[in-house]
Amino acid sequence: NSDRMKRNLQITFDLHEAGVSMMKQNLLRRHPDATEAERSEMLRAWLQDTPLLGVPFEELDKPEMAPE
């Protein structure tokens, strides 16, 4: 079970790395005249502002409301 969890975590990291790499290429294509620093800032903003599974980051740490 521990090996499976390690493998799944590695897959998660690999997928994240692939997504970041694709976004870097996307930013380069969409903003060819931007400096590397500008594209780095765009990437940082994208990483910070992209919701997880459609849930905004600011909502992730809020306790769930009990059903009424």
Short mmCIF file of all heavy atoms in Angstrom, two decimals:
data_model
loop_
_atom_site.label_atom_id
_atom_site.label_comp_id
_atom_site.label_asym_id
_atom_site.label_seq_id
_atom_site.Cartn_x
_atom_site.Cartn_y
_atom_site.Cartn_z
N ASN A 1 0.83 -1.20 0.00
CA ASN A 1 0.00 0.00 0.00
C ASN A 1 0.87 1.26 0.00
O ASN A 1 0.54 2.24 -0.63
CB ASN A 1 -0.96 -0.03 1.18
CG ASN A 1 -2.13 0.90 1.01
OD1 ASN A 1 -2.35 1.44 -0.07
ND2 ASN A 1 -2.88 1.10 2.05
N SER A 2 1.97 1.21 0.74
CA SER A 2 2.88 2.35 0.78
C SER A 2 3.51 2.60 -0.59
O SER A 2 3.67 3.75 -0.99
CB SER A 2 3.97 2.09 1.82
OG SER A 2 4.90 3.14 1.83
N ASP A 3 3.85 1.54 -1.30
CA ASP A 3 4.41 1.69 -2.64
C ASP A 3 3.40 2.33 -3.59
O ASP A 3 3.76 3.14 -4.43
CB ASP A 3 4.87 0.35 -3.20
CG ASP A 3 6.13 -0.16 -2.53
OD1 ASP A 3 6.85 0.66 -1.93
OD2 ASP A 3 6.39 -1.38 -2.61
N ARG A 4 2.15 1.94 -3.44
CA ARG A 4 1.10 2.51 -4.29
C ARG A 4 0.94 4.00 -4.00
O ARG A 4 0.79 4.81 -4.91
CB ARG A 4 -0.21 1.78 -4.05
CG ARG A 4 -1.33 2.27 -4.91
CD ARG A 4 -2.58 1.48 -4.68
NE ARG A 4 -3.65 2.02 -5.50
CZ ARG A 4 -4.92 1.84 -5.24
NH1 ARG A 4 -5.29 1.11 -4.22
NH2 ARG A 4 -5.83 2.36 -6.02
N MET A 5 0.96 4.37 -2.73
CA MET A 5 0.84 5.78 -2.37
C MET A 5 2.02 6.58 -2.91
O MET A 5 1.84 7.69 -3.41
CB MET A 5 0.72 5.93 -0.85
CG MET A 5 -0.61 5.46 -0.34
SD MET A 5 -0.95 5.51 1.46
CE MET A 5 0.35 6.40 2.17
N LYS A 6 3.22 6.03 -2.82
CA LYS A 6 4.41 6.70 -3.36
C LYS A 6 4.28 6.89 -4.86
O LYS A 6 4.60 7.95 -5.39
CB LYS A 6 5.67 5.91 -3.04
CG LYS A 6 6.09 5.96 -1.60
CD LYS A 6 7.32 5.09 -1.39
CE LYS A 6 7.66 4.95 0.07
NZ LYS A 6 8.81 4.05 0.27
N ARG A 7 3.83 5.85 -5.54
CA ARG A 7 3.66 5.92 -6.99
C ARG A 7 2.61 6.98 -7.36
O ARG A 7 2.81 7.77 -8.27
CB ARG A 7 3.27 4.55 -7.54
CG ARG A 7 3.24 4.47 -9.05
CD ARG A 7 2.95 3.06 -9.57
NE ARG A 7 1.64 2.58 -9.16
CZ ARG A 7 1.42 1.59 -8.29
NH1 ARG A 7 2.43 0.95 -7.74
NH2 ARG A 7 0.20 1.22 -7.98
N ASN A 8 1.49 6.99 -6.64
CA ASN A 8 0.44 7.97 -6.92
C ASN A 8 0.93 9.40 -6.66
O ASN A 8 0.60 10.31 -7.42
CB ASN A 8 -0.80 7.68 -6.08
CG ASN A 8 -1.56 6.46 -6.56
OD1 ASN A 8 -1.33 5.97 -7.66
ND2 ASN A 8 -2.44 5.95 -5.73
N LEU A 9 1.70 9.59 -5.60
CA LEU A 9 2.24 10.91 -5.32
C LEU A 9 3.22 11.34 -6.41
O LEU A 9 3.20 12.48 -6.85
CB LEU A 9 2.92 10.93 -3.94
CG LEU A 9 3.43 12.28 -3.46
CD1 LEU A 9 2.30 13.30 -3.40
CD2 LEU A 9 4.09 12.13 -2.11
N GLN A 10 4.04 10.42 -6.88
CA GLN A 10 4.98 10.73 -7.95
C GLN A 10 4.24 11.09 -9.23
O GLN A 10 4.62 12.04 -9.94
CB GLN A 10 5.94 9.57 -8.22
CG GLN A 10 7.01 9.89 -9.24
CD GLN A 10 7.87 11.06 -8.80
OE1 GLN A 10 8.44 11.05 -7.71
NE2 GLN A 10 7.98 12.08 -9.64
N ILE A 11 3.17 10.37 -9.52
CA ILE A 11 2.35 10.68 -10.69
C ILE A 11 1.76 12.09 -10.56
O ILE A 11 1.75 12.87 -11.51
CB ILE A 11 1.23 9.64 -10.90
CG1 ILE A 11 1.85 8.31 -11.36
CG2 ILE A 11 0.18 10.11 -11.90
CD1 ILE A 11 0.87 7.14 -11.33
N THR A 12 1.29 12.43 -9.36
CA THR A 12 0.74 13.76 -9.11
C THR A 12 1.78 14.84 -9.39
O THR A 12 1.51 15.84 -10.06
CB THR A 12 0.24 13.87 -7.66
OG1 THR A 12 -0.78 12.88 -7.46
CG2 THR A 12 -0.31 15.25 -7.37
N PHE A 13 3.00 14.64 -8.86
CA PHE A 13 4.07 15.61 -9.10
C PHE A 13 4.42 15.70 -10.58
O PHE A 13 4.64 16.80 -11.11
CB PHE A 13 5.32 15.25 -8.29
CG PHE A 13 5.17 15.48 -6.81
CD1 PHE A 13 5.74 14.60 -5.92
CD2 PHE A 13 4.47 16.56 -6.30
CE1 PHE A 13 5.62 14.80 -4.54
CE2 PHE A 13 4.34 16.77 -4.94
CZ PHE A 13 4.93 15.88 -4.05
N ASP A 14 4.47 14.57 -11.26
CA ASP A 14 4.79 14.56 -12.69
C ASP A 14 3.72 15.30 -13.50
O ASP A 14 4.04 16.06 -14.42
CB ASP A 14 4.93 13.12 -13.20
CG ASP A 14 6.15 12.41 -12.66
OD1 ASP A 14 7.07 13.08 -12.11
OD2 ASP A 14 6.21 11.17 -12.77
N LEU A 15 2.45 15.08 -13.16
CA LEU A 15 1.37 15.77 -13.87
C LEU A 15 1.41 17.27 -13.60
O LEU A 15 1.17 18.07 -14.52
CB LEU A 15 0.01 15.19 -13.45
CG LEU A 15 -0.30 13.80 -13.98
CD1 LEU A 15 -1.57 13.26 -13.34
CD2 LEU A 15 -0.42 13.80 -15.49
N HIS A 16 1.71 17.66 -12.38
CA HIS A 16 1.83 19.09 -12.07
C HIS A 16 2.96 19.70 -12.89
O HIS A 16 2.79 20.76 -13.50
CB HIS A 16 2.09 19.29 -10.57
CG HIS A 16 2.40 20.70 -10.21
ND1 HIS A 16 1.44 21.68 -10.15
CD2 HIS A 16 3.57 21.31 -9.93
CE1 HIS A 16 2.01 22.83 -9.84
NE2 HIS A 16 3.30 22.63 -9.69
N GLU A 17 4.09 19.03 -12.92
CA GLU A 17 5.24 19.54 -13.69
C GLU A 17 4.89 19.66 -15.18
O GLU A 17 5.25 20.65 -15.83
CB GLU A 17 6.43 18.61 -13.49
CG GLU A 17 7.70 19.12 -14.10
CD GLU A 17 8.89 18.22 -13.81
OE1 GLU A 17 8.93 17.60 -12.74
OE2 GLU A 17 9.78 18.15 -14.67
N ALA A 18 4.17 18.68 -15.69
CA ALA A 18 3.77 18.73 -17.10
C ALA A 18 2.83 19.90 -17.35
O ALA A 18 2.94 20.60 -18.36
CB ALA A 18 3.10 17.41 -17.51
N GLY A 19 1.88 20.13 -16.43
CA GLY A 19 0.96 21.25 -16.57
C GLY A 19 1.66 22.59 -16.55
O GLY A 19 1.36 23.49 -17.34
N VAL A 20 2.63 22.74 -15.65
CA VAL A 20 3.40 23.99 -15.57
C VAL A 20 4.20 24.19 -16.86
O VAL A 20 4.24 25.29 -17.41
CB VAL A 20 4.31 24.00 -14.33
CG1 VAL A 20 5.30 25.15 -14.38
CG2 VAL A 20 3.47 24.06 -13.06
N SER A 21 4.79 23.12 -17.35
CA SER A 21 5.56 23.20 -18.59
C SER A 21 4.68 23.62 -19.77
O SER A 21 5.06 24.47 -20.58
CB SER A 21 6.22 21.85 -18.87
OG SER A 21 6.97 21.90 -20.05
N MET A 22 3.48 23.05 -19.84
CA MET A 22 2.56 23.42 -20.92
C MET A 22 2.14 24.87 -20.80
O MET A 22 2.03 25.58 -21.82
CB MET A 22 1.33 22.50 -20.92
CG MET A 22 1.64 21.11 -21.41
SD MET A 22 0.17 20.07 -21.71
CE MET A 22 -0.63 20.08 -20.14
N MET A 23 1.90 25.34 -19.57
CA MET A 23 1.50 26.74 -19.40
C MET A 23 2.64 27.67 -19.78
O MET A 23 2.40 28.73 -20.37
CB MET A 23 1.03 27.00 -17.97
CG MET A 23 0.44 28.37 -17.80
SD MET A 23 -0.95 28.63 -18.94
CE MET A 23 -1.65 30.11 -18.28
N LYS A 24 3.88 27.31 -19.47
CA LYS A 24 5.02 28.13 -19.87
C LYS A 24 5.07 28.26 -21.39
O LYS A 24 5.30 29.35 -21.92
CB LYS A 24 6.33 27.52 -19.36
CG LYS A 24 6.55 27.71 -17.89
CD LYS A 24 7.87 27.06 -17.48
CE LYS A 24 8.16 27.23 -16.01
NZ LYS A 24 9.42 26.59 -15.61
N GLN A 25 4.85 27.15 -22.10
CA GLN A 25 4.84 27.19 -23.56
C GLN A 25 3.68 28.03 -24.07
O GLN A 25 3.81 28.79 -25.03
CB GLN A 25 4.77 25.77 -24.13
CG GLN A 25 6.03 24.98 -23.94
CD GLN A 25 7.21 25.63 -24.63
OE1 GLN A 25 7.12 26.05 -25.78
NE2 GLN A 25 8.32 25.72 -23.93
N ASN A 26 2.53 27.91 -23.41
CA ASN A 26 1.35 28.69 -23.78
C ASN A 26 1.63 30.19 -23.62
O ASN A 26 1.30 30.99 -24.50
CB ASN A 26 0.18 28.26 -22.91
CG ASN A 26 -1.13 28.92 -23.31
OD1 ASN A 26 -1.30 29.38 -24.43
ND2 ASN A 26 -2.04 28.99 -22.36
N LEU A 27 2.24 30.57 -22.50
CA LEU A 27 2.55 31.98 -22.27
C LEU A 27 3.56 32.50 -23.29
O LEU A 27 3.45 33.63 -23.76
CB LEU A 27 3.07 32.18 -20.85
CG LEU A 27 2.04 31.98 -19.74
CD1 LEU A 27 2.70 31.97 -18.37
CD2 LEU A 27 0.95 33.04 -19.81
N LEU A 28 4.54 31.68 -23.64
CA LEU A 28 5.53 32.06 -24.64
C LEU A 28 4.85 32.29 -26.00
O LEU A 28 5.14 33.27 -26.70
CB LEU A 28 6.61 30.99 -24.76
CG LEU A 28 7.74 31.28 -25.73
CD1 LEU A 28 8.49 32.54 -25.35
CD2 LEU A 28 8.69 30.08 -25.77
N ARG A 29 3.92 31.42 -26.35
CA ARG A 29 3.20 31.55 -27.62
C ARG A 29 2.27 32.76 -27.61
O ARG A 29 2.18 33.49 -28.58
CB ARG A 29 2.40 30.27 -27.88
CG ARG A 29 1.60 30.27 -29.17
CD ARG A 29 0.81 29.00 -29.38
NE ARG A 29 -0.01 28.62 -28.25
CZ ARG A 29 -1.20 29.14 -27.95
NH1 ARG A 29 -1.72 30.09 -28.71
NH2 ARG A 29 -1.88 28.73 -26.91
N ARG A 30 1.57 32.97 -26.50
CA ARG A 30 0.59 34.07 -26.42
C ARG A 30 1.22 35.43 -26.20
O ARG A 30 0.62 36.45 -26.55
CB ARG A 30 -0.40 33.79 -25.30
CG ARG A 30 -1.33 32.63 -25.63
CD ARG A 30 -2.19 32.19 -24.46
NE ARG A 30 -2.89 33.30 -23.84
CZ ARG A 30 -3.42 33.25 -22.62
NH1 ARG A 30 -3.32 32.16 -21.89
NH2 ARG A 30 -4.05 34.29 -22.13
N HIS A 31 2.42 35.45 -25.60
CA HIS A 31 3.09 36.71 -25.27
C HIS A 31 4.56 36.67 -25.72
O HIS A 31 5.47 36.73 -24.89
CB HIS A 31 3.01 36.98 -23.76
CG HIS A 31 1.62 36.97 -23.22
ND1 HIS A 31 0.76 38.03 -23.35
CD2 HIS A 31 0.94 36.01 -22.54
CE1 HIS A 31 -0.39 37.73 -22.78
NE2 HIS A 31 -0.31 36.51 -22.28
N PRO A 32 4.79 36.57 -27.03
CA PRO A 32 6.17 36.42 -27.52
C PRO A 32 7.06 37.63 -27.22
O PRO A 32 8.28 37.48 -27.14
CB PRO A 32 6.00 36.21 -29.02
CG PRO A 32 4.67 36.81 -29.35
CD PRO A 32 3.83 36.63 -28.13
N ASP A 33 6.47 38.79 -27.05
CA ASP A 33 7.26 39.99 -26.80
C ASP A 33 7.50 40.26 -25.31
O ASP A 33 8.23 41.18 -24.96
CB ASP A 33 6.59 41.22 -27.43
CG ASP A 33 6.52 41.10 -28.96
OD1 ASP A 33 7.42 40.44 -29.53
OD2 ASP A 33 5.59 41.65 -29.54
N ALA A 34 6.88 39.47 -24.44
CA ALA A 34 7.06 39.66 -23.00
C ALA A 34 8.45 39.19 -22.59
O ALA A 34 9.02 38.27 -23.20
CB ALA A 34 6.00 38.87 -22.24
N THR A 35 8.97 39.81 -21.56
CA THR A 35 10.27 39.37 -21.04
C THR A 35 10.08 38.09 -20.24
O THR A 35 8.96 37.72 -19.87
CB THR A 35 10.89 40.44 -20.12
OG1 THR A 35 10.05 40.57 -18.96
CG2 THR A 35 11.02 41.79 -20.83
N GLU A 36 11.20 37.43 -19.97
CA GLU A 36 11.14 36.21 -19.15
C GLU A 36 10.56 36.53 -17.77
O GLU A 36 9.76 35.76 -17.23
CB GLU A 36 12.54 35.60 -19.01
CG GLU A 36 12.56 34.30 -18.25
CD GLU A 36 11.81 33.18 -18.93
OE1 GLU A 36 11.76 33.15 -20.18
OE2 GLU A 36 11.24 32.33 -18.21
N ALA A 37 10.93 37.68 -17.22
CA ALA A 37 10.40 38.08 -15.91
C ALA A 37 8.89 38.30 -15.97
O ALA A 37 8.16 37.92 -15.04
CB ALA A 37 11.11 39.35 -15.42
N GLU A 38 8.42 38.91 -17.05
CA GLU A 38 6.98 39.13 -17.19
C GLU A 38 6.24 37.80 -17.32
O GLU A 38 5.18 37.60 -16.70
CB GLU A 38 6.70 40.01 -18.42
CG GLU A 38 7.13 41.45 -18.24
CD GLU A 38 7.10 42.25 -19.53
OE1 GLU A 38 7.28 41.68 -20.64
OE2 GLU A 38 6.89 43.48 -19.43
N ARG A 39 6.78 36.88 -18.12
CA ARG A 39 6.15 35.57 -18.25
C ARG A 39 6.21 34.80 -16.93
O ARG A 39 5.25 34.09 -16.58
CB ARG A 39 6.76 34.77 -19.39
CG ARG A 39 6.30 35.26 -20.76
CD ARG A 39 6.65 34.31 -21.87
NE ARG A 39 8.08 34.10 -22.00
CZ ARG A 39 8.89 34.85 -22.74
NH1 ARG A 39 8.40 35.87 -23.42
NH2 ARG A 39 10.17 34.59 -22.80
N SER A 40 7.28 34.95 -16.18
CA SER A 40 7.37 34.30 -14.87
C SER A 40 6.29 34.82 -13.93
O SER A 40 5.69 34.06 -13.17
CB SER A 40 8.75 34.52 -14.25
OG SER A 40 9.73 33.81 -14.95
N GLU A 41 6.05 36.11 -13.98
CA GLU A 41 4.99 36.71 -13.15
C GLU A 41 3.62 36.21 -13.60
O GLU A 41 2.75 35.93 -12.77
CB GLU A 41 5.06 38.23 -13.21
CG GLU A 41 3.98 38.94 -12.44
CD GLU A 41 3.93 38.59 -10.96
OE1 GLU A 41 4.96 38.20 -10.38
OE2 GLU A 41 2.83 38.70 -10.37
N MET A 42 3.41 36.09 -14.91
CA MET A 42 2.14 35.56 -15.42
C MET A 42 1.94 34.12 -14.94
O MET A 42 0.83 33.73 -14.56
CB MET A 42 2.12 35.60 -16.95
CG MET A 42 2.03 36.97 -17.55
SD MET A 42 2.14 36.82 -19.36
CE MET A 42 2.80 38.42 -19.78
N LEU A 43 3.01 33.33 -14.97
CA LEU A 43 2.93 31.94 -14.52
C LEU A 43 2.62 31.90 -13.03
O LEU A 43 1.77 31.12 -12.59
CB LEU A 43 4.24 31.21 -14.82
CG LEU A 43 4.28 29.76 -14.37
CD1 LEU A 43 3.27 28.92 -15.14
CD2 LEU A 43 5.68 29.19 -14.53
N ARG A 44 3.29 32.74 -12.24
CA ARG A 44 3.04 32.78 -10.81
C ARG A 44 1.58 33.12 -10.53
O ARG A 44 0.91 32.49 -9.71
CB ARG A 44 3.95 33.80 -10.11
CG ARG A 44 3.81 33.77 -8.58
CD ARG A 44 4.10 35.11 -7.96
NE ARG A 44 3.31 36.21 -8.48
CZ ARG A 44 2.02 36.46 -8.16
NH1 ARG A 44 1.37 35.66 -7.36
NH2 ARG A 44 1.39 37.49 -8.69
N ALA A 45 1.06 34.12 -11.24
CA ALA A 45 -0.33 34.53 -11.06
C ALA A 45 -1.27 33.39 -11.44
O ALA A 45 -2.27 33.13 -10.75
CB ALA A 45 -0.63 35.77 -11.89
N TRP A 46 -0.97 32.71 -12.53
CA TRP A 46 -1.80 31.58 -12.96
C TRP A 46 -1.80 30.49 -11.90
O TRP A 46 -2.86 29.95 -11.55
CB TRP A 46 -1.30 31.04 -14.30
CG TRP A 46 -2.04 29.83 -14.76
CD1 TRP A 46 -3.29 29.79 -15.31
CD2 TRP A 46 -1.56 28.49 -14.74
NE1 TRP A 46 -3.62 28.49 -15.61
CE2 TRP A 46 -2.58 27.68 -15.28
CE3 TRP A 46 -0.38 27.90 -14.32
CZ2 TRP A 46 -2.44 26.30 -15.39
CZ3 TRP A 46 -0.24 26.53 -14.43
CH2 TRP A 46 -1.27 25.75 -14.97
N LEU A 47 -0.63 30.15 -11.38
CA LEU A 47 -0.54 29.11 -10.36
C LEU A 47 -1.29 29.52 -9.09
O LEU A 47 -1.96 28.70 -8.46
CB LEU A 47 0.92 28.83 -10.01
CG LEU A 47 1.71 28.05 -11.05
CD1 LEU A 47 3.19 28.10 -10.74
CD2 LEU A 47 1.22 26.62 -11.15
N GLN A 48 -1.20 30.77 -8.73
CA GLN A 48 -1.84 31.25 -7.51
C GLN A 48 -3.35 31.38 -7.66
O GLN A 48 -4.09 31.13 -6.72
CB GLN A 48 -1.26 32.60 -7.11
CG GLN A 48 -1.79 33.13 -5.81
CD GLN A 48 -1.11 34.41 -5.39
OE1 GLN A 48 -0.10 34.82 -5.96
NE2 GLN A 48 -1.65 35.06 -4.39
N ASP A 49 -3.81 31.76 -8.84
CA ASP A 49 -5.22 32.07 -9.03
C ASP A 49 -6.06 30.94 -9.61
O ASP A 49 -7.28 31.07 -9.69
CB ASP A 49 -5.36 33.30 -9.93
CG ASP A 49 -4.74 34.53 -9.30
OD1 ASP A 49 -4.56 34.55 -8.07
OD2 ASP A 49 -4.41 35.47 -10.04
N THR A 50 -5.43 29.86 -10.06
CA THR A 50 -6.17 28.77 -10.69
C THR A 50 -6.88 27.94 -9.63
O THR A 50 -6.23 27.40 -8.74
CB THR A 50 -5.23 27.87 -11.51
OG1 THR A 50 -4.59 28.67 -12.49
CG2 THR A 50 -6.00 26.76 -12.20
N PRO A 51 -8.19 27.84 -9.69
CA PRO A 51 -8.90 27.05 -8.69
C PRO A 51 -8.63 25.56 -8.85
O PRO A 51 -8.30 25.07 -9.94
CB PRO A 51 -10.37 27.36 -8.96
CG PRO A 51 -10.44 27.99 -10.29
CD PRO A 51 -9.07 28.47 -10.65
N LEU A 52 -8.73 24.85 -7.77
CA LEU A 52 -8.54 23.41 -7.75
C LEU A 52 -9.89 22.74 -7.97
O LEU A 52 -10.80 22.91 -7.15
CB LEU A 52 -7.94 22.98 -6.41
CG LEU A 52 -7.68 21.52 -6.18
CD1 LEU A 52 -6.60 21.03 -7.14
CD2 LEU A 52 -7.25 21.28 -4.75
N LEU A 53 -10.03 22.03 -9.06
CA LEU A 53 -11.27 21.34 -9.39
C LEU A 53 -12.48 22.26 -9.31
O LEU A 53 -13.54 21.89 -8.85
CB LEU A 53 -11.47 20.15 -8.44
CG LEU A 53 -10.38 19.08 -8.49
CD1 LEU A 53 -10.65 18.03 -7.42
CD2 LEU A 53 -10.33 18.43 -9.86
N GLY A 54 -12.28 23.50 -9.75
CA GLY A 54 -13.37 24.45 -9.79
C GLY A 54 -13.67 25.12 -8.45
O GLY A 54 -14.60 25.89 -8.35
N VAL A 55 -12.87 24.81 -7.43
CA VAL A 55 -13.06 25.43 -6.12
C VAL A 55 -11.99 26.50 -5.93
O VAL A 55 -10.80 26.19 -5.94
CB VAL A 55 -12.96 24.39 -4.98
CG1 VAL A 55 -13.14 25.05 -3.62
CG2 VAL A 55 -13.97 23.27 -5.19
N PRO A 56 -12.38 27.76 -5.78
CA PRO A 56 -11.37 28.81 -5.56
C PRO A 56 -10.53 28.51 -4.32
O PRO A 56 -11.03 27.98 -3.33
CB PRO A 56 -12.21 30.08 -5.37
CG PRO A 56 -13.53 29.77 -5.97
CD PRO A 56 -13.73 28.29 -5.80
N PHE A 57 -9.23 28.83 -4.39
CA PHE A 57 -8.33 28.54 -3.29
C PHE A 57 -8.82 29.10 -1.96
O PHE A 57 -8.67 28.47 -0.92
CB PHE A 57 -6.93 29.06 -3.58
CG PHE A 57 -6.19 28.25 -4.60
CD1 PHE A 57 -5.64 28.85 -5.71
CD2 PHE A 57 -6.06 26.89 -4.46
CE1 PHE A 57 -4.96 28.10 -6.65
CE2 PHE A 57 -5.39 26.13 -5.39
CZ PHE A 57 -4.83 26.74 -6.49
N GLU A 58 -9.42 30.29 -1.99
CA GLU A 58 -9.85 30.88 -0.72
C GLU A 58 -10.98 30.08 -0.07
O GLU A 58 -11.25 30.22 1.10
CB GLU A 58 -10.25 32.35 -0.91
CG GLU A 58 -11.37 32.59 -1.89
CD GLU A 58 -10.88 32.80 -3.32
OE1 GLU A 58 -9.67 32.63 -3.59
OE2 GLU A 58 -11.72 33.11 -4.18
N GLU A 59 -11.65 29.21 -0.84
CA GLU A 59 -12.72 28.39 -0.29
C GLU A 59 -12.22 27.06 0.26
O GLU A 59 -12.93 26.37 0.97
CB GLU A 59 -13.77 28.12 -1.37
CG GLU A 59 -14.48 29.36 -1.89
CD GLU A 59 -15.35 30.02 -0.84
OE1 GLU A 59 -15.98 29.31 -0.04
OE2 GLU A 59 -15.38 31.26 -0.81
N LEU A 60 -11.00 26.68 -0.07
CA LEU A 60 -10.51 25.35 0.30
C LEU A 60 -10.32 25.17 1.80
O LEU A 60 -10.51 24.08 2.31
CB LEU A 60 -9.18 25.06 -0.41
CG LEU A 60 -9.28 24.87 -1.92
CD1 LEU A 60 -7.90 24.65 -2.50
CD2 LEU A 60 -10.19 23.71 -2.26
N ASP A 61 -9.95 26.21 2.52
CA ASP A 61 -9.67 26.03 3.94
C ASP A 61 -10.85 26.37 4.84
O ASP A 61 -10.73 26.34 6.05
CB ASP A 61 -8.43 26.84 4.35
CG ASP A 61 -8.59 28.33 4.11
OD1 ASP A 61 -9.60 28.72 3.51
OD2 ASP A 61 -7.69 29.07 4.49
N LYS A 62 -11.98 26.65 4.25
CA LYS A 62 -13.17 26.96 5.04
C LYS A 62 -13.84 25.66 5.47
O LYS A 62 -13.95 24.73 4.69
CB LYS A 62 -14.16 27.80 4.25
CG LYS A 62 -13.68 29.22 4.00
CD LYS A 62 -14.76 30.03 3.34
CE LYS A 62 -14.27 31.45 3.10
NZ LYS A 62 -15.27 32.24 2.38
N PRO A 63 -14.31 25.60 6.72
CA PRO A 63 -15.02 24.40 7.15
C PRO A 63 -16.34 24.25 6.39
O PRO A 63 -16.96 25.24 6.02
CB PRO A 63 -15.27 24.62 8.64
CG PRO A 63 -15.11 26.09 8.84
CD PRO A 63 -14.21 26.60 7.74
N GLU A 64 -16.71 23.03 6.15
CA GLU A 64 -17.96 22.79 5.44
C GLU A 64 -19.14 23.10 6.35
O GLU A 64 -19.09 22.89 7.55
CB GLU A 64 -18.05 21.32 4.99
CG GLU A 64 -17.05 20.98 3.91
CD GLU A 64 -17.25 19.59 3.39
OE1 GLU A 64 -18.41 19.12 3.36
OE2 GLU A 64 -16.27 18.97 3.00
N MET A 65 -20.18 23.60 5.73
CA MET A 65 -21.39 23.92 6.48
C MET A 65 -22.16 22.61 6.72
O MET A 65 -22.23 21.76 5.84
CB MET A 65 -22.27 24.89 5.70
CG MET A 65 -21.60 26.16 5.30
SD MET A 65 -21.88 27.55 6.37
CE MET A 65 -23.62 27.56 6.62
N ALA A 66 -22.69 22.47 7.91
CA ALA A 66 -23.50 21.28 8.22
C ALA A 66 -24.82 21.38 7.47
O ALA A 66 -25.39 22.46 7.36
CB ALA A 66 -23.75 21.19 9.72
N PRO A 67 -25.29 20.26 6.92
CA PRO A 67 -26.58 20.31 6.20
C PRO A 67 -27.69 20.66 7.17
O PRO A 67 -27.69 20.28 8.33
CB PRO A 67 -26.74 18.90 5.64
CG PRO A 67 -25.75 18.05 6.36
CD PRO A 67 -24.72 18.95 6.94
N GLU A 68 -28.66 21.40 6.66
CA GLU A 68 -29.78 21.84 7.51
C GLU A 68 -30.92 20.87 7.42
O GLU A 68 -31.14 20.17 6.52
CB GLU A 68 -30.23 23.23 7.10
CG GLU A 68 -29.17 24.25 7.35
CD GLU A 68 -29.61 25.64 6.95
OE1 GLU A 68 -30.81 25.89 6.83
OE2 GLU A 68 -28.73 26.50 6.76
#
